[in-house]
Amino acid sequence: MYNRTYWFDQVKDQQGHIIRQGVPMDSEHYNNMEIGISDGSLAHNIMMFKQLQTEMNNDIEVHTLTLSMNSGMKWPFNNKETTVALAGLRENTNYSVEVNVLSYSGGRLGSIRVVDRARNGFKLLHDGSATTVNVAVRVSGGMTDPGIEE
C-alpha cells in the first residue's frame, strides 16, 4: 500500500528562525515516491493485459436469420427449432446470445428462446403465431478455443 507524502516547504521568520519544518528531500521520501509510481505502473500494465486478453477471448459473431413456423399448430403456435452454427468452437457454453427482432409477419411474435446450447452452436425457438420472424443474433463470450486453426 502506498503511503502518500505531504510535502511542505520549510518556513522561516525574518530573523531566520524556523517556523515550520519542511519535509526533507532525502532517499527515504524519494524511494517512497518511486515505489508508488512503480506499483501504479505495474497495476496499469496488468489491467491493460487483462483487457487485451478479454478482447481476444471474447469472439463476437453476428448472424441474421429467419425463423419460420410449423403450420397447423395450436398453442404454442410454433415449436420449430432453428439451428444457429457458430463460426468457431467455443471452450464452453457460457456465451451470451442477444436476439433482436428485425421484423415479423403473419401473426403475433410470441417469445424467442435460446435452447440446446453447445460449444459449436445453439437453437432458437419462437412460440408465437407469426409465420416468419427475421432476427439479428449477436453471440459473445465462451472464449475461442485456441486449439482450433482456421
Side-chain angles (χ1 to χ4, degrees):
M1 172 101 185
Y2 178 72
N3 295 318
R4 180 177 175 185
T5 299
Y6 292 92
W7 296 91
F8 298 103
D9 290 333
Q10 181 171 299
V11 179
K12 297 180 181 180
D13 64 13
Q14 292 176 344
Q15 286 78 31
H17 298 98
I18 297 173
I19 298 173
R20 182 178 70 187
Q21 183 66 40
V23 177
M25 298 174 134
D26 57 15
S27 63
E28 180 183 342
H29 290 94
Y30 284 130
N31 286 333
N32 180 54
M33 190 170 22
E34 289 295 321
I35 290 169
I37 293 167
S38 176
D39 288 351
S41 178
L42 178 62
H44 172 75
N45 289 339
I46 290 170
M47 293 303 293
M48 291 301 295
F49 179 76
K50 182 183 182 318
Q51 179 66 28
L52 286 172
Q53 193 174 32
T54 300
E55 288 173 7
M56 290 174 69
N57 289 338
N58 283 336
D59 196 18
I60 296 174
E61 297 180 32
V62 178
H63 301 268
T64 304
L65 53 125
T66 301
L67 309 177
S68 56
M69 179 177 156
N70 285 342
S71 58
M73 294 281 302
K74 295 189 180 199
W75 182 262
F77 296 103
N78 188 9
N79 66 355
K80 183 177 178 185
E81 297 172 338
T82 302
T83 301
V84 179
L86 296 174
L89 188 64
R90 305 291 168 130
E91 286 185 23
N92 57 57
T93 59
N94 190 23
Y95 50 83
S96 68
V97 179
E98 298 173 29
V99 179
N100 291 323
V101 176
L102 303 173
S103 65
Y104 63 94
S105 61
R108 297 181 73 88
L109 178 61
S111 299
I112 298 175
R113 293 183 294 132
V114 178
V115 295
D116 295 337
R117 285 179 192 251
R119 291 177 54 207
N120 63 345
F122 56 92
K123 295 178 182 175
L124 292 178
L125 176 66
H126 82 95
D127 63 5
S129 61
T131 54
T132 58
V133 180
N134 295 313
V135 296
V137 180
R138 182 178 184 268
V139 182
S140 62
M143 297 168 49
T144 305
D145 190 340
I148 302 300
E149 292 186 21
E150 297 179 9

